[in-house]
Amino acid sequence: YTYVYEDNNGHEKEIEVHYEYTKGSPGNSYGSPDNWTPPEGPEVNILYFMNPLTGNEILDDELPVNEEAVIASIITYHSEEDYGDEY
């Protein structure tokens, strides 16, 4: 997944994000109450970030963006189209 952001100078930059995604579950509230399950939201597990120009991994202390913003972007991406489990 390519995350696009704007650096401090207003230039558009990209980071390649490798992650695992679980789409969650709407839950079950029909039938016997013993079979009810609560809804679960999607989950994103970031495996690593990579600089697409150099191919080098970006370490946490070098990450130029907020990881939560990246996760929100990935969830939005998957809410529009669903693909497999690892990216």
Side-chain angles (χ1 to χ4, degrees):
Y1 175 77
T2 301
Y3 181 77
V4 179
Y5 70 98
E6 196 172 286
D7 70 9
N8 293 335
N9 297 321
H11 298 106
E12 198 171 86
K13 302 281 186 171
E14 295 180 349
I15 293 178
E16 191 172 311
V17 185
H18 294 260
Y19 63 94
E20 295 173 329
Y21 176 79
T22 305
K23 72 178 185 177
S25 166
N28 174 17
S29 60
Y30 54 87
S32 169
D34 293 337
N35 295 327
W36 291 0
T37 57
E40 295 180 12
E43 292 184 25
V44 175
N45 177 33
I46 302 290
L47 301 174
Y48 61 94
F49 294 95
M50 190 170 69
N51 181 325
L53 300 176
T54 65
N56 294 330
E57 185 174 344
I58 299 171
L59 304 176
D60 288 343
D61 61 338
E62 301 170 336
L63 191 62
V65 296
N66 179 309
E67 189 171 326
E68 292 302 317
V70 175
I71 290 172
S73 176
I74 290 169
I75 290 172
T76 298
Y77 171 75
H78 281 281
S79 69
E80 296 167 359
E81 294 186 49
D82 185 36
Y83 297 96
D85 295 326
E86 188 172 324
Y87 307 87

